[in-house]
Amino acid sequence: MAIEVRIPTILRNLTGGEKAVEGKGGTLDELFGDLDSRHPGLRDRLVDDKGLRKFVNVYLNDEDVRFLGGLEAAVSDGDNVTILPAVAGG
């Protein structure tokens, strides 16, 4: 069993149009590294040298990962990760 990662429309060009992809890893950082090995450029769109980019929201089983340890948040087989771009405007 793998970890399902839901991809927002704006990043689907990196996943061949797939709405969801599967990956593996023990932490969110390892998961993003695994995904980047098959979908080059994905990790760079989500992470910078300070951690998760400010305009990206990531949820692990419906919990904001910023409250679960950020990139060090533990992930397990069967988990669901949702990537959402931040929305701003008025």
Side-chain angles (χ1 to χ4, degrees):
M1 185 178 258
I3 301 161
E4 181 183 64
V5 181
R6 295 183 197 117
I7 306 295
T9 304
I10 196 166
L11 296 177
R12 289 183 191 157
N13 63 314
L14 300 171
T15 63
E18 294 293 321
K19 295 178 180 182
V21 295
E22 292 187 347
K24 60 184 176 181
T27 65
L28 189 62
D29 193 39
E30 291 173 4
L31 173 65
F32 287 166
D34 178 60
L35 293 177
D36 197 62
S37 70
R38 284 175 280 115
H39 308 287
L42 185 59
R43 187 178 193 288
D44 289 338
R45 299 286 297 270
L46 305 174
V47 178
D48 62 19
D49 59 342
K50 297 176 186 171
L52 284 174
R53 292 187 180 274
K54 291 182 181 184
F55 59 84
V56 175
N57 295 309
V58 179
Y59 297 89
L60 173 61
N61 300 322
D62 298 324
E63 294 288 328
D64 189 332
V65 297
R66 286 186 170 89
F67 300 108
L68 300 174
L71 291 174
E72 297 307 313
V75 294
S76 303
D77 284 351
D79 282 346
N80 291 300
V81 173
T82 302
I83 300 169
L84 294 173
V87 178

